[in-house]
């Protein structure tokens, strides 16, 4: 999709938010000039990393998506290299580019090394199929079961790691 075409489609949905429309127009112009996401991020005050603020995250993620619609690997690497709230920006970029390129466009080694126990890649694929069916039919496709005991075990093992990381970040150097 061309940047200007995207903004024209978006404008009626955001008619009451001039700030986001202005950001979208500036973002599309930047993509049209062939600027990198890093240059665009710097122009909106995110030269040292993109924040989680919606007026930073969304335009930067869309900038990357519009430049790299067929390049999943390159798009995610570019998102992460910007620094800041990289998990949020990369999640948005990955969703947008991934919806276009499908499973075939995701690097094989990334899929092979995916580990989110007790959710398996096959479970995630089934979830995607159910979600697509639900969107297409505009009706619930039902839930996809998970083993509650495995989820509980995973969370009990994971919580100490998360807490330790959080407390470590409170100590110098910040």
């Amino acid at each position: 999709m061309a940047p200007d075409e995207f903004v024209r489609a978006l404008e009626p949905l955001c008619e009451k938010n001039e700030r986001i429309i202005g950001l979208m127009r500036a973002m599309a112009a930047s993509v049209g000039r062939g600027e990198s996401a890093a240059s665009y991020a710097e122009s909106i005050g995110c030269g040292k990393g993109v924040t989680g603020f919606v007026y930073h995250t969304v335009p930067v993620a869309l900038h990357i998506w519009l430049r790299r619609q067929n390049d999943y690997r390159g798009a995610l690497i570019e998102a992460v290299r910007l620094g800041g709230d990289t998990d949020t920006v990369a999640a948005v970029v990955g969703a947008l580019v991934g919806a276009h390129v499908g499973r075939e466009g995701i690097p094989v080694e990334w899929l092979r090394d995916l580990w989110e126990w007790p959710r398996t890649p096959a479970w995630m694929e089934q979830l995607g199929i159910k979600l697509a069916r639900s969107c297409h039919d505009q009706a619930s496709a039902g839930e996809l079961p998970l083993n509650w005991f495995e989820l509980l075990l995973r969370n009990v093992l994971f919580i100490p790691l998360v807490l330790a990381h959080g407390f470590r970040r409170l100590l110098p150097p910040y």
Side-chain angles (χ1 to χ4, degrees):
M1 175 175 279
D4 292 336
E5 179 186 345
F6 173 74
V7 172
R8 278 194 304 277
L10 184 66
E11 283 178 341
L13 303 172
C14 301
E15 63 188 32
K16 295 183 180 180
N17 191 332
E18 283 301 317
R19 184 172 179 188
I20 198 72
I21 292 297
L23 282 167
M24 293 300 108
R25 288 177 182 153
M27 175 272 303
S30 173
V31 172
R33 291 190 298 272
E35 293 177 0
S36 70
S39 294
Y40 175 70
E42 185 152 350
S43 78
I44 62 169
C46 295
K48 294 185 179 182
V50 181
T51 72
F53 183 48
V54 68
Y55 291 129
H56 295 159
T57 300
V58 171
V60 170
L62 291 172
H63 189 285
I64 296 168
W65 167 63
L66 286 167
R67 288 183 58 247
R68 297 181 175 270
Q69 294 176 49
N70 297 308
D71 180 11
Y72 192 84
R73 179 191 302 268
L76 287 178
I77 288 171
E78 186 169 12
V80 170
R81 285 187 175 158
L82 291 174
D85 191 6
T86 58
D87 57 330
T88 302
V89 176
V92 174
V93 170
L96 293 170
V97 178
H100 180 70
V101 300
R103 186 171 202 239
E104 298 75 29
I106 300 172
V108 174
E109 65 274 16
W110 290 9
L111 291 171
R112 183 190 64 231
D113 297 338
L114 185 62
W115 190 77
E116 179 60 28
W117 183 80
R119 297 168 190 95
T120 65
W123 183 90
M124 293 177 205
E125 193 165 341
Q126 286 302 311
L127 181 64
I129 290 167
K130 276 187 170 269
L131 178 61
R133 188 174 302 132
S134 177
C135 290
H136 180 268
D137 298 343
Q138 295 188 349
S140 175
E143 63 186 50
L144 198 57
L146 275 172
N147 184 316
W148 69 268
F149 180 75
E150 289 176 343
L151 281 174
L152 179 65
L153 180 61
R154 173 192 177 268
N155 291 342
V156 165
L157 296 172
F158 193 60
I159 285 173
L161 179 68
V162 171
L163 290 175
H165 177 72
F167 284 122
R168 167 57 191 98
R169 292 189 58 143
L170 294 174
L171 301 173
Y174 302 102

